[in-house]
Amino acid sequence: MMLQRLALCSSLRSRSLQANVCPRFARAVSQTKFPVTHSPGKSAAHRSELRQAKRIVVKLGSAVVTRGDECGLALGRLASIVEQVAVLQNQGREMMIVTSGAVAFGRQRLRHEILLSQSVRQALHSGQNQLKEMSLPVLEARACAAAGQSGLMALYEAMFTQYSTCTAQILVTNLDFHDEQKRRNLNSTLHELLRMNIVPIINTNDAVVPPPVPNSDLQGVNVIHIKDNDSLAARLAVEMKADLLIALSDVEGLYDSPPGTDDAKLIDIFYPGDQQSIRYGSKSKVGIGGMEAKVKSALWALQGGTSVVIANGTDPKVTGHVITDIVEGKKVGTFFSEVKPAGPTVEQQTEMARQAGRTLATLHPDERGEIICRLADLLTEKKDEILSANKRDMETAASSGRLSQPLLARLSLSTSKLNSLAIGLRQIAVSSRDSVGQVLRRTRVANNLELEQITVPIGVLLVIFESRPDCLPQVSALAIASGNALLLKGGKEAANTNRILHQLTQEALSLHGVKDAIQLVSTREEVEDLCRLDKMIDLIIPRGSSQLVRDIQRAAKGIPVLGHSEGICHVYIDSEACIEKAIDIIKDSKCDYPAACNAMETLLLHRDLLRTPLFDQIIDMLRVEQVKIHAGPRFASYLTFSPSEVKSLRTEYGDLECCIEVVDSMQDAVDHIHKYGSSHTDVIVTDNEKTAEQFMQQVDSACVFWNASSRFADGYRFGLGAEVGISTARIHARGPVGLEGLLTTKWVLRGEGHTVAEFSEAGSMKYLHENIPVPQRFPS
């Protein structure tokens, strides 16, 4: 019945590729032939180079192709893999598949045939209950393979037909590689199929293949015994000079010890010299190779010049994009590389930071303060070196032309900026004395049983920032003050500046032996890969564009993200506003630092202010300051010759541009802010106290000001010393996040052998739950 359906599917007219491809891959489809830039015969040194792979072998292990009951194929899983291969094929890459599954498919067919061949009379005579208990004979693997090969190929053909992709079946044995003439014929056939844009489906001919030779190992580059599909895929990849071999299995990749055991860690990059440090587990219940065979085959292929990745092809969360993710260079599975980097991996850096961070948290508050003060001193002492490095970054950025003026402004450092940073750091040093270990609540639960809630560090922070080198010492100081370990990922446009600032930070940390508590990620790690370290990182703090924040929020799986995606700040000028206050606040909010996230982006004017002296003065001031005005829909309707109408009322310009819109009342202003704002900072300018109080009560933003510039939404101006960012979230921390936002709490209970049983009805103890006064957390 299954084969009949497949035949029917194959006979249907094929639809176009883009109509069938999942939207996830739609953007990846291209009719342009893929350029070959990878050097043939040389494996990739880094994952990012896999994007250039043209000839790719995908090996599907038995556990990937076969259902959990070992009878039949995992059709849904196989369909998603076929889709990815078809997408890559239609990009102009040359795809080959080495597949298992013939035995499982044949076993399903043969069992079905055996059941049907039972005598109906015997079945009726035996009774229904006995029929259910009928045992099937043990089926010989070669017979299953013979029965399953045609069905397996028909399945592949039907699936690939839906993507206008042609396939061809090739069955091989070990002898085909040992016989020189057969080997040349195989090579020629595969090259011709690839030339015709056909996907070869290759499998060992299990119907006739002899059992694998015991203890037959891999020997050198020119010899490999084909004893399973792992060795077949490796041999084929080297023979065909493939750029990449993707081996899909039922585990995430290679672990340093058997998966599922305590302390087993996934190996991101595996180097040939690390083989002796691996402990292998048991083989898959449906395969014959096992992880040890995969590693040996992978190393053989690597030695032959083919890059290799071993990854999970059975996890429903990743199966639909595992192959394309690997080809895009994402951190999936275990990547085999012959080039070992000079420094530690990002996982090792994170572990180093966590260990040193725990020591940092146990330092005396004065010692943490000394580290921060030393960093402040270094910023001024080494200012010439810092500014020199920053100048190189600025020159590189300016010559490339890739950074906008707002980003260039953020990239630039000056003597005054460094002096301001040093002042802010010293403020943090003072506040750090009352941070970690502060008692927030103390309760006498019962006699001689006291409970305390105390502040503790969050753990390991990951801060990702763009074009903001001044962010590095600020965040570092806050992490030191709060006892947190810190992982920093800066933009490459500030690489020189970040490098020297990090060196100075580690020099300050060395004062008390915690140099490794703050790490700068300088490897070519993608942000999305960092966001997957959910077992190592406790909080992600993005500092950059709204697009960066949104990307991180999307990529972070299981790690909280603190921040805001946009800074769409409003200033509402009420009908009872003072002219001088309104002009000064609008000018400061927009023009002081237009690239800042707390700069005004939308100016809301009460309708009664139109065609008044105040309105004329506002427009004149904005023109003098060279602010480009975009008219909101209502504002444009009042003007004969209006400025360009705004494309969206949810725009963060980050430059000398703003939107002006008209509202009928304070309530309309509030409604507009709730509809188009980003819950960052919003301002009312009015002399009517009642109106101002209603505005501040109703506006649901992190910061709400009355007769004050939006630029006051800043940790330094709030007296926090510095900030790691401004959060618009509703939980944990909101608004400018300083030292307090980087702390969490834990409960400490002190008793004298107390048990819960003592507090039962028959027990002798009673709960008191008396609150014990504690000193103010941050005494002035």
Side-chain angles (χ1 to χ4, degrees):
M1 183 64 70
M2 181 187 297
L3 293 177
Q4 291 174 351
R5 291 199 200 100
L6 293 175
L8 179 61
C9 290
S10 299
S11 65
L12 295 176
R13 182 179 179 182
S14 299
R15 302 173 187 174
S16 67
L17 174 65
Q18 290 185 344
N20 285 274
V21 172
C22 171
R24 173 186 288 274
F25 306 119
R27 63 180 177 81
V29 178
S30 170
Q31 297 302 320
T32 306
K33 285 297 177 183
F34 192 83
V36 184
T37 59
H38 176 65
S39 302
K42 183 179 179 182
S43 61
H46 191 271
R47 284 181 184 268
S48 61
E49 297 175 22
L50 299 181
R51 298 169 186 162
Q52 308 303 327
K54 178 177 175 63
R55 185 168 292 172
I56 302 171
V57 176
V58 178
K59 184 264 174 181
L60 306 180
S62 300
V64 176
V65 178
T66 308
R67 289 201 320 240
D69 61 5
E70 306 176 36
C71 292
L73 305 180
L75 296 180
R77 191 185 301 152
L78 202 57
S80 66
I81 290 171
V82 165
E83 180 178 25
Q84 295 170 77
V85 172
V87 165
L88 295 173
Q89 178 80 2
N90 282 275
Q91 285 180 351
R93 304 179 199 262
E94 297 174 346
M95 305 298 297
M96 292 178 279
I97 293 178
V98 175
T99 182
S100 302
V103 173
F105 196 90
R107 182 178 289 117
Q108 181 188 33
R109 289 188 65 191
L110 293 181
R111 285 186 176 184
H112 183 66
E113 291 298 326
I114 290 171
L115 286 174
L116 289 179
S117 66
Q118 300 293 328
S119 169
V120 175
R121 183 177 302 171
Q122 180 183 354
L124 293 174
H125 177 73
S126 301
Q128 186 175 1
N129 292 334
Q130 289 182 336
L131 183 60
K132 288 182 179 179
E133 297 173 2
M134 286 175 56
S135 61
L136 291 169
V138 176
L139 299 173
E140 205 272 331
R142 290 191 188 88
C144 292
Q149 288 287 2
S150 60
L152 179 65
M153 193 58 207
L155 177 63
Y156 275 116
E157 185 177 352
M159 287 183 172
F160 273 106
T161 298
Q162 302 307 305
Y163 302 98
S164 304
T165 301
C166 186
T167 60
Q169 182 184 29
I170 296 180
L171 297 176
V172 298
T173 66
N174 197 44
L175 296 176
D176 295 323
F177 290 95
H178 284 247
D179 185 294
E180 186 61 27
Q181 184 60 47
K182 289 183 177 181
R183 192 171 68 85
R184 283 199 300 266
N185 291 343
L186 174 63
N187 192 291
S188 174
T189 300
L190 288 171
H191 275 93
E192 184 64 14
L193 291 173
L194 294 177
R195 187 187 67 79
M196 293 188 294
N197 202 32
I198 294 172
V199 177
I201 310 291
I202 305 129
N203 193 3
T204 52
N205 192 353
D206 294 327
V208 298
V209 70
V213 180
N215 302 321
S216 170
D217 215 336
L218 314 182
Q219 307 165 6
V221 178
N222 297 318
V223 179
I224 179 172
H225 191 83
I226 307 300
K227 54 183 179 179
D228 52 41
N229 276 339
D230 295 311
S231 51
L232 170 60
R235 179 65 185 261
L236 187 73
V238 174
E239 286 280 344
M240 295 298 295
K241 295 182 173 56
D243 300 308
L244 174 61
L245 167 60
I246 300 174
L248 297 183
S249 182
D250 57 351
V251 291
E252 281 70 18
L254 179 61
Y255 286 78
D256 57 1
S257 56
T261 60
D262 293 340
D263 302 323
K265 293 181 180 179
L266 178 66
I267 299 173
D268 171 39
I269 304 177
F270 185 77
Y271 308 97
D274 297 341
Q275 191 173 3
Q276 302 304 319
S277 62
I278 304 299
R279 289 190 299 111
Y280 297 103
S282 58
K283 299 177 182 179
S284 165
K285 63 180 181 179
V286 292
I288 62 172
M291 185 55 72
E292 186 173 6
K294 289 176 177 56
V295 172
K296 290 180 178 179
S297 298
L299 291 174
W300 192 88
L302 185 69
Q303 189 179 0
T306 298
S307 302
V308 184
V309 175
I310 296 177
N312 193 332
T314 62
D315 187 348
K317 295 180 180 178
V318 301
T319 302
H321 48 89
V322 61
I323 298 174
T324 50
D325 280 354
I326 290 171
V327 176
E328 288 174 11
K330 295 181 181 179
K331 186 177 287 188
V332 178
T334 299
F335 171 65
F336 286 70
S337 175
E338 292 185 301
V339 181
K340 199 163 188 174
T345 65
V346 67
E347 289 84 2
Q348 291 170 333
Q349 282 186 291
T350 308
E351 189 58 36
M352 290 161 59
R354 184 180 290 280
Q355 294 300 326
R358 286 170 177 157
T359 304
L360 175 66
T362 63
L363 294 179
H364 191 276
D366 290 341
E367 293 176 318
R368 287 194 295 271
E370 288 172 5
I371 294 174
I372 299 170
C373 287
R374 179 57 184 150
L375 178 56
D377 293 340
L378 288 170
L379 290 179
T380 53
E381 291 174 12
K382 305 286 186 178
K383 66 178 181 181
D384 291 339
E385 296 175 37
I386 298 170
L387 295 178
S388 175
N390 186 246
K391 183 181 178 181
R392 293 198 299 274
D393 287 331
M394 289 292 293
E395 290 172 349
T396 303
S399 62
S400 69
R402 288 184 300 216
L403 290 186
S404 63
Q405 281 303 123
L407 288 179
L408 280 173
R410 292 183 180 185
L411 177 61
S412 175
L413 288 181
S414 62
T415 301
S416 61
K417 268 191 179 182
L418 292 176
N419 290 336
S420 296
L421 276 172
I423 293 171
L425 263 57
R426 292 188 179 95
Q427 288 182 353
I428 296 174
V430 173
S431 63
S432 68
R433 297 167 186 163
D434 301 294
S435 55
V436 181
Q438 184 75 17
V439 179
L440 301 181
R441 180 184 302 173
R442 184 177 290 127
T443 303
R444 183 177 291 110
V445 178
N447 289 330
N448 298 319
L449 187 64
E450 288 191 2
L451 177 69
E452 289 181 345
Q453 184 185 20
I454 63 174
T455 58
V456 294
I458 289 175
V460 178
L461 313 177
L462 168 61
V463 177
I464 302 169
F465 55 100
E466 293 177 321
S467 307
R468 291 286 296 271
D470 57 333
C471 171
L472 194 151
Q474 284 181 344
V475 174
S476 296
L478 288 169
I480 295 166
S482 57
N484 283 290
L486 179 61
L487 204 61
L488 293 160
K489 173 66 173 175
K492 60 183 179 182
E493 64 278 354
N496 294 303
T497 315
N498 289 338
R499 189 179 302 112
I500 187 169
L501 289 174
H502 177 250
Q503 289 171 357
L504 297 178
T505 302
Q506 290 203 317
E507 182 178 336
L509 287 164
S510 299
L511 194 64
H512 290 289
V514 287
K515 174 184 175 182
D516 291 335
I518 296 179
Q519 299 283 331
L520 179 66
V521 179
S522 55
T523 59
R524 298 163 68 179
E525 233 72 30
E526 297 289 345
V527 169
E528 187 173 343
D529 293 332
L530 292 172
C531 292
R532 291 177 179 174
L533 301 177
D534 56 309
K535 295 179 181 176
M536 308 181 77
I537 294 170
D538 300 298
L539 178 67
I540 301 176
I541 305 172
R543 298 287 304 271
S545 66
S546 57
Q547 187 60 50
L548 171 72
V549 178
R550 283 194 295 268
D551 289 344
I552 291 173
Q553 288 173 334
R554 228 178 355 252
K557 305 297 183 184
I559 310 177
V561 179
L562 187 150
H564 64 281
S565 59
E566 294 173 307
I568 304 175
C569 303
H570 296 75
V571 173
Y572 165 59
I573 310 299
D574 188 54
S575 59
E576 299 180 67
C578 167
I579 293 180
E580 290 77 15
K581 292 177 184 176
I583 296 294
D584 290 344
I585 289 171
I586 294 171
K587 181 178 179 180
D588 190 72
S589 296
K590 181 71 259 185
C591 306
D592 176 64
Y593 189 10
C597 64
N598 57 11
M600 180 194 78
E601 303 295 0
T602 299
L603 174 62
L604 298 177
L605 297 174
H606 192 284
R607 182 183 58 186
D608 294 346
L609 296 178
L610 293 178
R611 300 183 178 87
T612 65
L614 173 56
F615 173 76
D616 294 336
Q617 290 182 44
I618 291 173
I619 299 300
D620 290 342
M621 181 273 295
L622 292 175
R623 284 176 177 166
V624 169
E625 296 296 327
Q626 298 183 332
V627 178
K628 183 178 180 180
I629 297 173
H630 301 275
R634 287 202 62 191
F635 181 50
S637 68
Y638 284 100
L639 304 175
T640 305
F641 302 101
S642 69
S644 61
E645 189 166 336
V646 68
K647 294 180 180 178
S648 171
L649 291 168
R650 291 192 181 94
T651 302
E652 182 180 13
Y653 298 99
D655 205 347
L656 283 173
E657 298 181 61
C658 75
C659 168
I660 298 180
E661 184 58 308
V662 174
V663 292
D664 292 331
S665 63
M666 181 275 293
Q667 189 59 53
D668 278 354
V670 171
D671 293 341
H672 179 101
I673 291 169
H674 286 165
K675 185 174 182 179
Y676 300 108
S678 60
S679 301
H680 191 295
T681 300
D682 298 291
V683 177
I684 182 171
V685 182
T686 184
D687 283 344
N688 187 314
E689 182 178 356
K690 182 178 178 182
T691 302
E693 292 295 339
Q694 289 177 342
F695 181 90
M696 291 188 290
Q697 182 180 18
Q698 292 183 39
V699 172
D700 183 22
S701 295
C703 301
V704 187
F705 300 160
W706 172 25
N707 288 344
S709 168
S710 62
R711 292 279 291 122
F712 278 103
D714 178 83
Y716 175 76
R717 297 183 178 95
F718 279 13
L720 304 178
E723 66 180 33
V724 294
I726 294 181
S727 172
T728 55
R730 297 298 198 273
I731 58 173
H732 179 57
R734 200 175 187 204
V737 180
L739 182 59
E740 290 184 69
L742 300 181
L743 296 170
T744 184
T745 63
K746 71 177 179 183
W747 296 91
V748 176
L749 185 64
R750 294 181 175 88
E752 295 184 0
H754 291 78
T755 64
V756 173
E758 295 177 285
F759 293 88
S760 63
E761 292 184 7
S764 58
M765 300 288 292
K766 291 185 178 180
Y767 289 109
L768 298 177
H769 293 150
E770 297 174 353
N771 290 327
I772 304 172
V774 294
Q776 182 182 350
R777 182 180 177 188
F778 294 108
S780 57

